[in-house]
């Protein structure tokens, strides 16, 4: 999926936790992010994960005795550190360049020219929007494209992607079409509300924005995800795994029907291993990548499913949606105040005639870029807490069903780290600012040591 400029950022504000993944999963052109944000058991991008030197047979036959620490060979550790550091650099660079490009679009008068072009086409506001929004979005995306090209090339170099350039560009193009389509809808609504209520648009726009987000979460598994990956019922070729998952969900007391278990053909673009939960209501489902089944033992795959089941059972999608909706209201008010401040300070230099001027959208996007960067530690901090809770749930739900379950979970993290070249020792600042999951080394140690049963303690989630 390509990088959805306005929609990606809009959804990122709304979806504090899991919902953020809706716009990045399978995104061939997604914003370059630090590698730990795409660990399996997270919602990873196919471009950012791939197959290192270990093979499925090695993963499944490796003796599982004691996996108390995350360890890598000297060669793979050097690669993991280099790849992770490159990811960190690109993460911050992408935010800086994105803001710089938007500033230059305003400062050089491009936004004003796009507005003039749109107004020359028609006096109808909606037609002007159909002209202006694609011009602005495509300009920003083309300027930003070299960063994403470099990230994909880096991912291929470190064997974290097997997606060819033709496929990558096709996904990027489809993403651009979605970006523009959603952007047009959102921008037309936003500016219509602005014209109707110049002082309260931030409040009145919030209502349709939340409804649109809710609709997108529901339709994403049904309409959007299949545009980029092939899905099929898990029961078609993996009836034994479905039976094991049914036993797992029955043990949890929250049965998930086989009709809501799907297999994603990730191996066409990546060799990374992953699973995720997505959708709401009738579209809610658990998705397992085919590479997960290929590279992990059945017991390890069940732990991954148990982790995702934790998101499902603990209501992280709904909670993330509600927290995100509340955060969006605050963000819109910030944009309202920030836009007026920017117009008072630079409106004349940028040739902006007011907040209802189409060109002011570039200023809103610039403010949103700054807001999302500053809010990243909060968003990722909440996500880390939810991912840790899902780890706890996964450990508890497989206990008693899988022998030596703590070792199974710990070894699964070891395999994930080897495959994803996960940083063995990320800097604390990096973890704080941009890790959406706890560092993998910490997750592995916790998995191996979590044992409330022998201590006479009550499990937190699965009694």
């Amino acid at each position: 999926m390509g990088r959805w400029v306005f929609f990606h950022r809009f959804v990122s504000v709304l979806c504090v936790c899991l919902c953020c993944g809706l716009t990045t999963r399978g995104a061939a052109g997604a914003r370059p992010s630090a590698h730990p944000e795409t660990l399996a058991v997270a919602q990873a991008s196919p471009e950012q994960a791939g197959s290192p030197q270990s093979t499925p047979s090695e993963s499944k036959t490796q003796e599982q005795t004691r996996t108390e620490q995350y360890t890598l060979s000297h060669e793979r550790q050097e690669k993991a550190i280099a790849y992770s550091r490159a990811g960190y650099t690109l993460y911050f660079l992408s935010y800086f360049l994105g803001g710089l490009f938007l500033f230059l679009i305003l400062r050089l008068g491009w936004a004003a020219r796009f507005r003039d072009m749109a107004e020359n086409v028609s006096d109808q506001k909606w037609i002007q929007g159909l002209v202006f929004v694609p011009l602005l979005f495509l300009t920003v995306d083309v300027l930003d494209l070299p960063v994403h090209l470099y990230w994909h090339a880096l991912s291929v170099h470190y064997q974290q992607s097997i997606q060819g350039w033709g496929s990558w560009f096709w996904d990027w193009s489809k993403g651009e079409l979605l970006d523009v389509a959603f952007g047009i809808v959102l921008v037309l609504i936003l500016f219509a509300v602005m014209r109707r209520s110049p002082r309260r648009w931030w409040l009145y726009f919030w209502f349709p924005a939340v409804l649109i987000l809710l609709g997108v979460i529901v339709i994403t598994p049904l309409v959007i995800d299949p545009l980029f990956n092939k899905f099929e019922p898990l029961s078609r070729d993996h009836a034994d795994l479905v039976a094991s998952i049914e036993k797992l969900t029955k043990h949890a007391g929250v049965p998930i029907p086989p009709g809501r278990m799907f297999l994603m053909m990730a191996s066409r673009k990546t060799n990374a291993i992953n699973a995720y939960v997505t959708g709401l209501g009738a579209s809610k489902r658990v998705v397992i990548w085919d590479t997960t089944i290929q590279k992990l033992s059945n017991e390890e795959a069940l732990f991954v499913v148990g982790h995702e089941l934790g998101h499902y059972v603990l209501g992280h999608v709904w909670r993330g949606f509600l927290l995100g909706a509340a955060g969006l209201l605050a963000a819109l008010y910030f944009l309202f105040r920030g836009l007026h401040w920017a117009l008072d300070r630079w409106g004349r230099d940028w040739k902006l005639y007011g907040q209802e001027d189409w060109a002011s959208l570039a200023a809103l996007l610039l403010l949103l870029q700054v807001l999302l960067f500053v809010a990243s530690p909060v968003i990722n901090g909440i996500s880390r807490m939810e991912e840790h809770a899902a780890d706890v749930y996964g450990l508890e739900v497989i206990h008693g069903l899988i022998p030596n379950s703590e070792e199974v979970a710990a070894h699964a993290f070891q395999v994930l780290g080897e495959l994803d070249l996960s940083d063995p020792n990320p800097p604390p600042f990096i973890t704080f600012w941009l890790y959406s999951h706890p560092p993998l080394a910490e997750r592995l140690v916790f998995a191996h040591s979590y044992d409330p049963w022998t201590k006479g303690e009550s499990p937190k989630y699965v009694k």
Side-chain angles (χ1 to χ4, degrees), residues 325-375:
L328 175 67
L329 186 60
L332 288 173
Y333 183 71
F334 166 83
L335 294 179
F336 167 73
R337 302 290 295 187
L339 181 59
H340 280 276
W341 173 78
L343 290 174
D344 290 341
R345 191 175 183 89
W346 296 296
R348 181 175 299 179
D349 293 338
W350 294 346
K351 300 178 183 178
L352 305 182
Y353 303 137
Q355 66 175 1
E356 293 127 42
D357 183 350
W358 290 114
S360 69
L361 177 62
L364 278 173
L365 290 177
L366 177 56
L367 289 168
L368 189 55
Q369 181 89 347
V370 173
L371 176 61
L372 283 177
F373 180 74
V374 173

Side-chain angles (χ1 to χ4, degrees), residues 38-44 272-275 304 308 413 416 420 437 443:
T38 59
L39 293 175
V41 197
Q43 297 177 351
I273 45 183
N274 195 12
V304 174
E308 296 307 322
F413 280 129
L416 295 175
D420 282 355
H437 292 62
R443 298 174 78 184

Side-chain angles (χ1 to χ4, degrees), residues 4 7 177-187 212 216 219 224:
W4 305 11
F7 183 67
L177 293 175
L178 287 171
D179 184 8
V180 171
F182 279 106
I184 287 174
V185 172
L186 290 168
V187 172
I212 290 172
V216 169
I219 70 170
I224 297 176

